[in-house]
mmCIF file of all heavy atoms in Angstrom:
data_model
loop_
_atom_site.group_PDB
_atom_site.id
_atom_site.type_symbol
_atom_site.label_atom_id
_atom_site.label_comp_id
_atom_site.label_asym_id
_atom_site.label_seq_id
_atom_site.Cartn_x
_atom_site.Cartn_y
_atom_site.Cartn_z
ATOM 1 N N THR V 23 -16.383 3.642 18.111
ATOM 2 C CA THR V 23 -15.672 2.801 17.153
ATOM 3 C C THR V 23 -15.140 1.568 17.871
ATOM 4 O O THR V 23 -14.451 1.698 18.888
ATOM 5 C CB THR V 23 -14.505 3.598 16.529
ATOM 6 O OG1 THR V 23 -15.020 4.861 16.095
ATOM 7 C CG2 THR V 23 -13.886 2.865 15.358
ATOM 8 N N ALA V 55 -18.358 13.020 18.621
ATOM 9 C CA ALA V 55 -19.315 11.981 19.043
ATOM 10 C C ALA V 55 -18.594 10.860 19.794
ATOM 11 O O ALA V 55 -19.095 10.320 20.787
ATOM 12 C CB ALA V 55 -20.056 11.425 17.827
ATOM 13 N N ALA V 112 -7.315 14.020 27.582
ATOM 14 C CA ALA V 112 -7.046 15.470 27.605
ATOM 15 C C ALA V 112 -5.987 15.837 26.565
ATOM 16 O O ALA V 112 -6.080 16.875 25.889
ATOM 17 C CB ALA V 112 -6.589 15.899 28.997
ATOM 18 N N ALA V 139 -15.752 16.982 32.794
ATOM 19 C CA ALA V 139 -15.729 15.529 33.003
ATOM 20 C C ALA V 139 -14.284 15.043 33.175
ATOM 21 O O ALA V 139 -13.992 14.213 34.047
ATOM 22 C CB ALA V 139 -16.398 14.828 31.824
ATOM 23 N N LEU V 147 -8.618 10.056 40.015
ATOM 24 C CA LEU V 147 -7.355 9.307 39.941
ATOM 25 C C LEU V 147 -6.379 9.758 41.029
ATOM 26 O O LEU V 147 -5.716 8.948 41.663
ATOM 27 C CB LEU V 147 -6.707 9.485 38.554
ATOM 28 C CG LEU V 147 -7.382 8.732 37.405
ATOM 29 C CD1 LEU V 147 -6.875 9.221 36.049
ATOM 30 C CD2 LEU V 147 -7.131 7.219 37.537
ATOM 31 N N GLY V 155 -0.730 8.600 49.800
ATOM 32 C CA GLY V 155 -0.655 10.039 50.081
ATOM 33 C C GLY V 155 0.214 10.814 49.095
ATOM 34 O O GLY V 155 0.428 12.020 49.261
ATOM 35 N N THR V 183 -3.021 -15.399 44.456
ATOM 36 C CA THR V 183 -3.528 -16.772 44.403
ATOM 37 C C THR V 183 -4.966 -16.736 43.913
ATOM 38 O O THR V 183 -5.824 -16.182 44.599
ATOM 39 C CB THR V 183 -3.522 -17.401 45.818
ATOM 40 O OG1 THR V 183 -2.276 -17.069 46.412
ATOM 41 C CG2 THR V 183 -3.733 -18.896 45.778
ATOM 42 N N ASP V 194 -11.123 -14.955 23.940
ATOM 43 C CA ASP V 194 -10.134 -14.160 23.198
ATOM 44 C C ASP V 194 -9.311 -14.979 22.217
ATOM 45 O O ASP V 194 -8.563 -14.413 21.425
ATOM 46 C CB ASP V 194 -9.215 -13.402 24.174
ATOM 47 C CG ASP V 194 -8.462 -14.321 25.110
ATOM 48 O OD1 ASP V 194 -9.071 -15.258 25.667
ATOM 49 O OD2 ASP V 194 -7.250 -14.115 25.271
ATOM 50 N N VAL V 198 -7.827 -15.011 17.511
ATOM 51 C CA VAL V 198 -6.378 -14.774 17.541
ATOM 52 C C VAL V 198 -5.684 -16.037 18.049
ATOM 53 O O VAL V 198 -6.205 -16.721 18.942
ATOM 54 C CB VAL V 198 -6.063 -13.564 18.483
ATOM 55 C CG1 VAL V 198 -4.566 -13.389 18.666
ATOM 56 C CG2 VAL V 198 -6.671 -12.270 17.923
ATOM 57 N N ARG V 203 -1.719 -14.676 22.705
ATOM 58 C CA ARG V 203 -2.604 -14.165 23.758
ATOM 59 C C ARG V 203 -2.028 -14.498 25.140
ATOM 60 O O ARG V 203 -1.078 -15.273 25.243
ATOM 61 C CB ARG V 203 -4.004 -14.797 23.607
ATOM 62 C CG ARG V 203 -4.773 -14.364 22.386
ATOM 63 C CD ARG V 203 -5.149 -12.893 22.399
ATOM 64 N NE ARG V 203 -5.935 -12.494 23.567
ATOM 65 C CZ ARG V 203 -6.262 -11.226 23.855
ATOM 66 N NH1 ARG V 203 -5.867 -10.247 23.089
ATOM 67 N NH2 ARG V 203 -6.964 -10.937 24.931
ATOM 68 N N ASP V 208 -2.109 -16.477 33.704
ATOM 69 C CA ASP V 208 -2.291 -15.026 33.853
ATOM 70 C C ASP V 208 -3.765 -14.669 33.707
ATOM 71 O O ASP V 208 -4.295 -13.840 34.447
ATOM 72 C CB ASP V 208 -1.453 -14.265 32.816
ATOM 73 C CG ASP V 208 0.024 -14.589 32.960
ATOM 74 O OD1 ASP V 208 0.464 -14.744 34.106
ATOM 75 O OD2 ASP V 208 0.718 -14.727 31.934
ATOM 76 N N TRP V 273 -1.775 19.306 41.311
ATOM 77 C CA TRP V 273 -1.472 17.908 40.935
ATOM 78 C C TRP V 273 -0.137 17.847 40.184
ATOM 79 O O TRP V 273 0.662 16.939 40.389
ATOM 80 C CB TRP V 273 -2.561 17.337 40.021
ATOM 81 C CG TRP V 273 -3.946 17.345 40.588
ATOM 82 C CD1 TRP V 273 -4.306 17.320 41.910
ATOM 83 C CD2 TRP V 273 -5.167 17.382 39.829
ATOM 84 N NE1 TRP V 273 -5.671 17.340 42.008
ATOM 85 C CE2 TRP V 273 -6.231 17.367 40.768
ATOM 86 C CE3 TRP V 273 -5.473 17.420 38.480
ATOM 87 C CZ2 TRP V 273 -7.574 17.404 40.362
ATOM 88 C CZ3 TRP V 273 -6.804 17.444 38.083
ATOM 89 C CH2 TRP V 273 -7.848 17.443 39.017
ATOM 90 N N ALA V 322 17.291 16.448 31.436
ATOM 91 C CA ALA V 322 17.991 16.140 30.181
ATOM 92 C C ALA V 322 18.943 14.956 30.345
ATOM 93 O O ALA V 322 19.098 14.129 29.436
ATOM 94 C CB ALA V 322 18.738 17.371 29.694
ATOM 95 N N LEU V 333 17.228 2.907 24.322
ATOM 96 C CA LEU V 333 16.562 2.992 23.006
ATOM 97 C C LEU V 333 17.508 2.637 21.864
ATOM 98 O O LEU V 333 17.126 1.997 20.886
ATOM 99 C CB LEU V 333 16.013 4.416 22.810
ATOM 100 C CG LEU V 333 15.082 4.590 21.630
ATOM 101 C CD1 LEU V 333 13.681 4.107 21.998
ATOM 102 C CD2 LEU V 333 15.000 6.053 21.195
ATOM 103 N N TRP V 425 -7.088 1.778 16.192
ATOM 104 C CA TRP V 425 -6.140 2.855 16.514
ATOM 105 C C TRP V 425 -4.914 2.821 15.603
ATOM 106 O O TRP V 425 -4.297 3.858 15.386
ATOM 107 C CB TRP V 425 -5.813 2.949 17.996
ATOM 108 C CG TRP V 425 -4.963 1.864 18.635
ATOM 109 C CD1 TRP V 425 -4.040 1.045 18.053
ATOM 110 C CD2 TRP V 425 -4.970 1.526 20.035
ATOM 111 N NE1 TRP V 425 -3.480 0.214 18.982
ATOM 112 C CE2 TRP V 425 -4.018 0.493 20.208
ATOM 113 C CE3 TRP V 425 -5.656 2.000 21.151
ATOM 114 C CZ2 TRP V 425 -3.760 -0.079 21.460
ATOM 115 C CZ3 TRP V 425 -5.387 1.437 22.392
ATOM 116 C CH2 TRP V 425 -4.459 0.406 22.541
ATOM 117 N N ILE V 441 8.949 11.504 7.374
ATOM 118 C CA ILE V 441 8.644 10.187 7.939
ATOM 119 C C ILE V 441 7.932 9.284 6.953
ATOM 120 O O ILE V 441 7.594 8.169 7.258
ATOM 121 C CB ILE V 441 7.759 10.323 9.202
ATOM 122 C CG1 ILE V 441 6.438 11.010 8.881
ATOM 123 C CG2 ILE V 441 8.497 11.025 10.308
ATOM 124 C CD1 ILE V 441 5.594 11.303 10.078
#
Side-chain angles (χ1 to χ4, degrees):
T23 311
L147 287 167
T183 315
D194 59 315
V198 173
R203 292 294 303 173
D208 301 323
W273 302 334
L333 191 80
W425 71 26
I441 60 186

